[in-house]
Amino acid sequence: MKAPEITVKLYIHFNTHLEKVEAVACDMSHLQGWILLGTHDVTITVPPHAPIDLIDRQIESLKNQQSNVLADSLAKDRDIEKEIQRLLSIKESANPDYLNN
């Protein structure tokens, strides 16, 4: 059995901001700095996969998302704690008797 194939149209642009040629999956020439040089159809063979592989990849993706959410949450927690400490410092310097109350 022949593996399935997908055909994708690539839009070749010159990006004046980065001064390089780029291939993207959509026409960006309506945006400033993107000059369409041409298009090219590319046919890609889909890698073989079993349904169980898709489940494993989805689990891996969810675990990565979970790790990212946790890391983002910890970073936000640190930022909030820094702001609390900054405000407490301002309060203490404005009221020297703060610690005696």
Side-chain angles (χ1 to χ4, degrees):
M1 177 176 158
K2 185 177 178 189
E5 295 179 339
I6 298 173
T7 300
V8 179
K9 180 180 291 291
L10 293 179
Y11 295 81
I12 315 303
H13 297 86
F14 181 77
N15 181 331
T16 61
H17 302 293
L18 300 175
E19 296 185 355
K20 69 177 191 173
V21 175
E22 297 191 54
V24 294
C26 61
D27 184 358
M28 305 284 287
S29 62
H30 64 281
L31 299 174
Q32 183 178 356
W34 292 83
I35 302 167
L36 182 64
L37 301 176
T39 62
H40 187 76
D41 289 331
V42 177
T43 301
I44 303 166
T45 302
V46 177
H49 59 279
I52 195 76
D53 294 335
L54 297 177
I55 292 171
D56 287 341
R57 288 181 185 202
Q58 189 172 16
I59 290 169
E60 182 181 340
S61 174
L62 289 169
K63 285 182 177 181
N64 287 337
Q65 289 177 43
Q66 188 178 41
S67 293
N68 290 339
V69 166
L70 182 57
D72 292 345
S73 174
L74 291 172
K76 184 68 175 175
D77 180 66
R78 282 191 301 271
D79 292 343
I80 290 170
E81 184 60 30
K82 283 180 188 176
E83 183 66 8
I84 290 169
Q85 294 305 317
R86 185 185 73 78
L87 292 170
L88 286 172
S89 175
I90 292 170
K91 183 177 179 180
E92 290 172 15
S93 64
N95 182 7
D97 295 328
Y98 171 72
L99 296 176
N100 297 329
N101 293 332

